[in-house]
Amino acid sequence: QVQPVESGGGLVQAGGSMRLSCVASGRTFRTTTMGWFRQAPGKEREFVAAISWGGGRIWYADSVKGRFTISRDNAKNTVYLQMNSLKPEDTATYYCARYYSGSYYDRSSYNDWGQGTQVTVSS
């Protein structure tokens, strides 16, 4: 499998919006649950959201529920993370990864990590 490639990060003011994209090549993309994680400086990488292969099952971290929306377009091999009402505490490097097995909320359940895209929210 080729590593996923994230894009769409940047600098935004608090209260603003941003959409991240993750392109993941490979024939198995359409049958694979995909997840978004984030890591702030000095902190561990934490779960943000995940979406099943068909989009019928979605999981969110409590910290982003109601503000972030994960979606996917299997025809484009792409997973999206729409982030609204951004807060300074959302500042982090955001990564997408393929789910392998185990808990959807656990980073050890994922492999094939991308290089990440930086999101900075100014106050």
Side-chain angles (χ1 to χ4, degrees):
Q1 301 282 16
V2 178
Q3 275 187 320
V5 178
E6 305 94 338
S7 63
L11 175 64
V12 64
Q13 288 189 331
S17 297
M18 186 176 288
R19 188 176 82 158
L20 305 182
S21 299
C22 169
V23 178
S25 62
R27 291 175 293 177
T28 60
F29 174 84
R30 300 182 184 187
T31 60
T32 302
T33 292
M34 297 293 295
W36 283 98
F37 285 72
R38 67 186 182 186
Q39 187 167 18
K43 295 187 177 181
E44 292 192 354
R45 193 168 299 187
E46 65 175 6
F47 173 79
V48 175
I51 185 168
S52 63
W53 64 272
R57 298 183 68 192
I58 289 175
W59 302 265
Y60 291 107
D62 288 342
S63 58
V64 306
K65 277 181 183 176
R67 300 188 299 122
F68 290 12
T69 302
I70 189 171
S71 61
R72 67 190 296 162
D73 184 342
N74 286 341
K76 297 181 179 180
N77 277 23
T78 302
V79 181
Y80 303 99
L81 186 67
Q82 176 67 43
M83 306 185 293
N84 298 329
S85 302
L86 283 161
K87 305 175 181 179
E89 51 264 44
D90 294 319
T91 295
T93 300
Y94 284 71
Y95 301 88
C96 74
R98 302 176 192 268
Y99 171 77
Y100 178 65
S101 68
S103 168
Y104 295 106
Y105 301 91
D106 191 342
R107 60 178 290 188
S108 67
S109 301
Y110 295 77
N111 56 19
D112 290 336
W113 294 86
Q115 293 299 309
T117 185
Q118 176 67 37
V119 172
T120 302
V121 184
S122 63
S123 57

